[in-house]
Structures are given as C-alpha cells and as structure tokens.
Amino acid sequence: MQVYTPAEDTFFLADYVEETINCSSALEVGVGSGYITRVLASRSEYVVGTDVSVEAVYSAKDYLRSGGVENVDLVVANQADPFRESSFQIVVSNPPYLPCEYEEEPLWCGGPRGIEFTLSLARTARSLLRGGGKLVLVASSLSDVNALVLQLKNLYSNVYVVQEKGVSLFEKLFILECEV
C-alpha cells in the first residue's frame, strides 16, 4: 500500500488545524505522510495518529522525527478502533472521500457514495470524544456530501461546514466540524 502524498486537501485541512485547534489531546485518523499530524502536534499537548498502512506509519514517524516532534504516538490501526471512550478532545481526518469501492483504492475511495468510510469513522469517533469534543473532517462535492451532513446531524449535536474551497471547475472541498 502506498503512502498518501500531501495534496490540496491536506494543505486545506492543515491550514484549518493551524488556525483553529488548541487542545490537550487529539487523534488523527489516516496520518499518511504525517503532514497534518505535525501541524496538529504543534497545536496539541498530545496526539495519537493512526493509519491502516504500516508504510504510512513508518513514513510519518520518520517525518515527525526529522522535525523534532515528540508529543505523538503512531499506531497501525483501522480508523480509531483501538481506543477507549472519552479519550480525545478532537478527532481530525482527511478521510478517503471519492465515490468508488474502498477495496480498489483505499487511499482515496470512500465507498460507493464516497461517504461510507467517513460515516463509519464518525460513528466510532463519537464515543471517543469527551464532552464538548469535535470531529473535524474533509469532504468533497464529488461525493454525496448532502447525505453525509444529514447523517452526521443524527450522530452529533451540531454539524457545521466551517470552510469550503474550490479546487477545480468540478470540485469543492469542505471542512466539516461536528460537535458532541
């Protein structure tokens, strides 16, 4: 499995994290290269990062170590499955969000409608967040983003589209913030 190379969606989320996050404990699901993890570590006392790819975890570990980042633990895991309830103030993810079969290309395929991976993560993250905690996600207009927001509203007390950015003639990216 490849390591997700930082792209426009990565930088979009990293800028948002840099501008708005300040917390004691954070989880990033899908660390990829570790780019967002590094930004999150500068805004948090302690960060845990997960990725299903062993290669991604090693790549992120090397990247973080080269930057002198020491407040991060990395775990090879499916999404956020290994953690206990109420462990984090914030969960951040740039999940795979394009409509296609996840098994075909897990780096960017979010399921048939592009939202299935994100909804699975949102269900898991809900129990991991402390009171007042937030889930922060990237979503794409190429997926069924309206259905995603509706379903997130069934899981979280507040769901906001806090930023959007056009990345081509045919696609917009959104940052969604979901409050417990």
Side-chain angles (χ1 to χ4, degrees), residues 6-104:
E8 204 155 4
D9 53 352
T10 306
F11 305 130
F12 183 46
L13 181 58
D15 288 346
Y16 182 77
V17 167
E18 180 68 38
E19 294 167 7
T20 64
I21 304 298
N22 189 9
C23 66
S24 63
S25 60
L27 170 66
E28 182 190 8
V29 175
V31 296
S33 68
Y35 188 90
I36 293 170
T37 317
R38 189 172 180 170
V39 174
L40 191 57
S42 73
R43 307 292 298 158
S44 309
E45 293 174 28
Y46 176 66
V47 175
V48 176
T50 69
D51 205 293
V52 70
S53 166
V54 173
E55 293 87 358
V57 168
Y58 279 114
S59 176
K61 180 180 178 184
D62 291 344
Y63 176 72
L64 295 168
R65 185 177 290 156
S66 73
V69 177
E70 297 180 4
N71 61 331
V72 175
D73 285 320
L74 299 172
V75 180
V76 176
N78 181 36
Q79 296 188 9
D81 292 345
F83 305 105
R84 61 185 158 82
E85 292 184 5
S86 302
S87 297
F88 302 101
Q89 281 184 297
I90 193 155
V91 175
V92 174
S93 185
N94 180 11
Y97 52 70
L98 294 178
C100 52
E101 291 303 319
Y102 180 74
E103 295 78 24
E104 293 172 12

Side-chain angles (χ1 to χ4, degrees), residues 48 53 55 61 65 82 107 134 138 144 153-154 161 165:
V48 176
S53 166
E55 293 87 358
K61 180 180 178 184
R65 185 177 290 156
L107 291 180
K134 294 179 184 177
V138 175
D144 193 349
K153 287 182 177 182
N154 291 329
V161 176
K165 175 181 185 169

